[in-house]
């Protein structure tokens, strides 16, 4: 862990829904760093002999520097993180967190903001709505969930943003249509957060409705699933080191395990922090940071998710 991490204490651990727990984190000393709506933090937890490193959107009010709020959904495909938060973390526990980072900032150019969330994807929009309301900005929320019971922050949203909020519960056979983006004021921006399939559907729809790329914003929680992963070999041209990347590990994982200094942030292919220059070999691009044109023309690779199409690639590192 990094020396610049912030030490915090859990003061609240509340069952928000049957599958979502909400946690309040307060600093052990001083005040917390300011953050902009849409930001997330990385949390570090000790689980037996390993550290669990997980990213969570900040779901509180960005003006509150005395506490951070995160919400964790218990995942059936949990790799240990969400299960640990739900079963082991309690009020009084201490842990370390990173400084906030933001890969889903609110656009200052937008005349109207359309927030579209599914399930736990509501978390970054909690901070955005607080910021927009305080600034007197125009916004609306469209929020899909299984039911009212399984809808995180339902009561809070109803009481604070009732006029701007629209809910779509699958238990009532009410699906969220992409048409909520149609016939919106000129200058509107759309924001998506939720499962990959939902984001893909709404991104494509927004493009077909004429939204320019600069007006479409989104954030995923997990890397896109783009087929099987095959092992490959990587040469680091700056040091002549050759590494083997197995099918169940990313290139970034291998670099970090070998003690090689490699930049990174989101680990899901969305921010571009881990981009490296490719000198030789063909890349299997699996990120959603580079545009399709950049993937064709730039000799670049996002190490946290992308792989090699060939058996070997050479990167400048």
């Amino acid at each position: 862990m990094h020396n610049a991490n912030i030490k915090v204490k859990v003061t609240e651990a509340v069952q928000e829904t049957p599958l979502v727990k909400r946690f309040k984190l307060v600093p052990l000393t001083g005040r917390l760093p300011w953050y902009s709506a849409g930001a997330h933090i990385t949390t570090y937890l000790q689980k037996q002999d390993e550290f669990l490193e997980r990213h969570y959107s900040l779901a509180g009010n960005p003006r509150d520097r005395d506490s951070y709020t995160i919400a964790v959904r218990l995942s059936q495909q949990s790799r240990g993180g969400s299960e640990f938060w739900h079963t082991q973390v309690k009020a009084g526990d201490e842990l370390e967190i990173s400084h906030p980072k933001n890969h889903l900032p609110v656009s200052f150019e937008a005349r109207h903001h359309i927030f579209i969330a599914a399930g736990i994807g509501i978390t970054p929009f909690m901070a955005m709505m607080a910021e927009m309301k305080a600034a007197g900005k125009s916004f609306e929320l469209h929020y899909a969930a299984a039911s009212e019971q399984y809808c995180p922050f339902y009561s809070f949203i109803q009481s604070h943003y009732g006029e701007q909020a629209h809910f779509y519960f699958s238990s009532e056979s009410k699906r969220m249509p992409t048409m909520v983006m149609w016939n919106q004021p000129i200058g509107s921006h759309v924001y998506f957060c939720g499962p990959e399939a939902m984001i893909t559907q709404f991104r494509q729809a927004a493009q077909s409705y004429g939204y320019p790329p600069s007006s479409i914003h989104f954030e995923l929680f997990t890397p896109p699933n783009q087929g099987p992963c095959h092992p490959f070999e990587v040469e680091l041209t700056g040091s002549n080191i050759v590494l083997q990347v197995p099918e169940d590990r990313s290139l970034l994982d291998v670099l970090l395990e070998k003690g090689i200094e490699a930049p990174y942030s989101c680990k899901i292919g969305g921010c571009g922090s881990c981009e490296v220059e490719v000198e030789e070999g063909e890349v299997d691009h699996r990120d959603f940071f580079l545009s399709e044109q950049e993937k064709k023309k730039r000799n670049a690779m996002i190490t946290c998710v992308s792989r090699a199409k060939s058996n070997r690639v050479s990167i400048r590192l």
Side-chain angles (χ1 to χ4, degrees):
M1 290 189 293
H2 199 277
N3 291 334
N5 287 341
I6 304 163
K7 294 182 179 180
V8 297
K9 176 184 284 189
V10 178
T11 58
E12 292 181 13
V14 179
Q15 199 74 46
E16 182 73 27
T17 75
L19 291 177
V20 175
K21 249 185 171 178
R22 171 169 49 86
F23 298 90
K24 185 176 181 178
L25 311 175
V26 301
L28 294 187
T29 58
R31 303 189 75 191
L32 292 164
W34 174 89
Y35 68 93
S36 56
H40 70 272
I41 56 171
T42 303
T43 64
Y44 305 93
L45 288 169
Q46 181 75 52
K47 181 185 178 184
Q48 296 173 347
D49 59 347
E50 68 170 322
F51 275 112
L52 294 175
E53 179 183 315
R54 298 293 185 271
H55 309 294
Y56 298 107
S57 295
L58 291 168
N61 190 321
R63 297 187 178 191
D64 181 6
R65 293 186 56 201
D66 296 319
S67 68
Y68 286 164
T69 297
I70 62 172
V72 182
R73 184 186 186 278
L74 181 61
S75 172
Q76 292 181 332
Q77 291 80 38
S78 174
R79 294 178 289 117
S82 69
E83 182 182 12
F84 191 85
W85 272 100
H86 274 250
T87 62
Q88 303 298 320
V89 179
K90 59 188 183 302
D93 287 353
E94 296 180 5
L95 64 141
E96 291 190 16
I97 63 173
S98 71
H99 283 249
K101 303 172 185 176
N102 200 337
H103 304 316
L104 187 67
V106 174
S107 171
F108 292 105
E109 297 177 354
R111 296 179 62 186
H112 180 62
H113 305 268
I114 306 163
F115 304 134
I116 298 175
I120 196 63
I122 187 62
T123 49
F125 299 135
M126 296 300 292
M128 289 186 183
M129 289 189 294
E131 193 171 86
M132 293 297 97
K133 186 173 182 179
K137 300 292 186 181
S138 175
F139 70 93
E140 61 188 81
L141 171 71
H142 297 272
Y143 185 8
S147 65
E148 181 180 325
Q149 180 189 12
Y150 283 85
C151 183
F153 303 106
Y154 176 76
S155 297
F156 184 92
I157 293 170
Q158 280 281 56
S159 62
H160 287 75
Y161 313 109
E163 294 184 1
Q164 293 103 335
H166 308 270
F167 297 91
Y168 307 84
F169 298 136
S170 54
S171 61
E172 301 174 0
S173 300
K174 192 175 181 182
R175 295 181 60 84
M176 182 167 59
T178 59
M179 288 296 290
V180 300
M181 300 181 291
W182 177 255
N183 200 26
Q184 291 283 1
I186 293 175
S188 294
H189 282 227
V190 290
Y191 306 76
F192 316 128
C193 192
E196 180 188 347
M198 180 274 268
I199 289 178
T200 300
Q201 177 191 6
F202 275 78
R203 280 180 67 197
Q204 292 174 348
Q207 290 167 355
S208 71
Y209 296 156
Y211 285 86
S214 59
S215 298
I216 301 173
H217 316 269
F218 59 93
E219 184 170 47
L220 288 170
F221 294 128
T222 56
N225 182 7
Q226 297 185 8
C229 296
H230 302 290
F232 62 100
E233 192 172 77
V234 177
E235 178 190 5
L236 310 185
T237 59
S239 56
N240 292 323
I241 295 174
V242 176
L243 301 174
Q244 304 298 323
V245 182
E247 59 187 34
D248 62 341
R249 308 295 285 168
S250 70
L251 170 54
L252 177 62
D253 288 336
V254 173
L255 290 170
L256 297 176
E257 286 167 3
K258 298 296 183 181
I260 296 167
E261 286 195 22
Y264 70 93
S265 181
C266 75
K267 286 190 172 181
I268 59 171
C271 70
S273 298
C274 63
E275 179 181 338
V276 295
E277 182 181 344
V278 177
E279 297 193 346
E280 191 175 335
E282 193 173 0
V283 177
D284 178 8
H285 293 286
R286 300 188 174 207
D287 65 276
F288 51 97
F289 172 76
L290 298 172
S291 68
E292 292 305 313
Q293 188 174 13
E294 287 174 327
K295 289 175 181 178
K296 293 176 182 177
K297 292 188 175 181
R298 281 174 60 181
N299 296 323
M301 183 176 187
I302 306 299
T303 62
C304 65
V305 292
S306 295
R307 306 185 70 82
K309 283 187 179 179
S310 51
N311 293 327
R312 181 185 175 110
V313 293
S314 299
I315 63 173
R316 184 184 293 275
L317 199 65

